Amino acid sequence: MADIDDAVIVAAGLGTRMLPASASIGKEVLPLVDIPGIFHLIWESVKSGCKKIHLIISPEKEHFIDILNPSTNLIDVLHKQIKSFSKEMISPIPENVNLLIHYQKEPKGLMDAIGSATNDINGAFLVLLGDNILIQNHKSPLEMSIEDSSNASLKLVEKYKQYGRPVVGVKKVHENSLPKYGVVKLDGEKIIGIIEKPSIENAPSDLVLCGRYIFTKEMINLMNLYTYEKFGEFQSIEIQKHCIEEEGGLLAVQLNDYQWYDSGNPLSWIKSQLDHA
């Protein structure tokens, strides 16, 4: 099975729950104590084997480019002032990895955002929701590296290489949180059902989609069948349901031993800061 060379980080949302902070800086680059959240996602993508990072942003988020590509002057100043400084502390993208910027001009859901990048992608690709951080190791910036970053996406890549089918990450949550998410029903490692934002009584399990996916090019073609105009925010769920019915199905990787942090939710983000600190 071919390698997964491309990672799509979706960071186009306006983050209205994090206003007024998100009006000046994207929720995805808010610091988890002292490391911008999106750094964790980039390191995770690179650790999984990706050589191209596709960042999906809205036109209002141009500042992302400067954050991910700091000036050489700033790097030189920090080198002089901080003996322990390393470039990776403020420049998370390795030299052998390409960063490509794509724009979602209208807020038309996850699949529309992904679709803005797929002309530059061949084959299956990794998808990470930009405000969802999944980590196991809690380290300071001086200790952090790609090698020490999350291997959540790597687990999905390994499952894809084994079976060649679309893969999603799932995680157990408390029953009170089930109405916030897409809840899955499993048969072994195969997903046999997804219910978006069910009541607690109608939830098929305590496992929910947690912002990590491997999509295939065929799933992008399904956008013409399951359109945003018809299905709205449920478009991506309908496409995943279609994959469930296909031979080989839609596979799940359980990520229950990871901390799940959401930079788009004020209360969750406060708890995340304390936990990580």
Side-chain angles (χ1 to χ4, degrees), residues 106-240:
E106 298 179 63
K108 295 175 63 177
L110 175 61
M111 294 306 299
D112 179 77
I114 294 171
S116 67
T118 51
N119 286 338
D120 294 319
I121 297 175
N122 295 313
F125 54 95
L126 179 67
V127 177
L128 305 91
L129 299 189
D131 53 4
N132 283 215
I133 300 172
L134 292 162
I135 61 174
Q136 289 176 303
N137 295 327
H138 299 271
K139 295 189 174 184
S140 73
L142 294 177
E143 298 173 306
M144 276 302 299
S145 65
I146 291 172
E147 291 73 21
D148 292 315
S149 64
S150 173
N151 61 357
S153 290
L154 178 60
K155 286 192 170 186
L156 271 67
V157 169
E158 290 171 345
K159 184 67 64 177
Y160 171 78
K161 287 184 177 180
Q162 186 177 2
Y163 293 101
R165 292 300 303 163
V167 186
V168 301
V170 298
K171 181 172 169 56
K172 289 183 178 182
V173 300
H174 190 275
E175 66 174 17
N176 291 340
S177 296
L178 293 173
K180 302 176 184 177
Y181 300 106
V183 184
V184 304
K185 183 178 181 180
L186 293 184
D187 180 9
E189 58 189 13
K190 283 189 177 182
I191 295 178
I192 58 175
I194 304 175
I195 301 179
E196 181 71 4
K197 300 179 180 179
S199 65
I200 294 174
E201 294 76 17
N202 292 330
S205 74
D206 59 355
L207 289 166
V208 305
L209 302 173
C210 60
R212 298 294 184 275
Y213 311 86
I214 289 180
F215 283 179
T216 61
K217 293 287 279 188
E218 290 74 19
M219 294 176 74
I220 299 302
N221 296 335
L222 289 172
M223 290 176 62
N224 296 321
L225 180 62
Y226 301 96
T227 64
Y228 177 82
E229 287 69 26
K230 183 175 181 179
F231 294 99
E233 66 174 304
F234 299 111
Q235 181 188 20
S236 63
I237 296 295
E238 293 301 318
I239 290 174
Q240 290 173 73

Side-chain angles (χ1 to χ4, degrees), residues 34-36 38-40 42-43 46 67-71 74-76 78-79 84-96 140-149:
D34 43 18
I35 298 177
I38 199 167
F39 283 27
H40 290 282
I42 290 171
W43 292 331
V46 174
I67 291 171
L68 297 178
N69 290 298
S71 69
L74 175 59
I75 293 172
D76 291 341
L78 290 173
H79 265 301
S84 57
F85 172 81
S86 65
K87 181 181 177 182
E88 290 73 19
M89 287 174 60
I90 63 168
S91 183
I93 302 173
E95 292 182 357
N96 64 336
S140 73
L142 294 177
E143 298 173 306
M144 276 302 299
S145 65
I146 291 172
E147 291 73 21
D148 292 315
S149 64

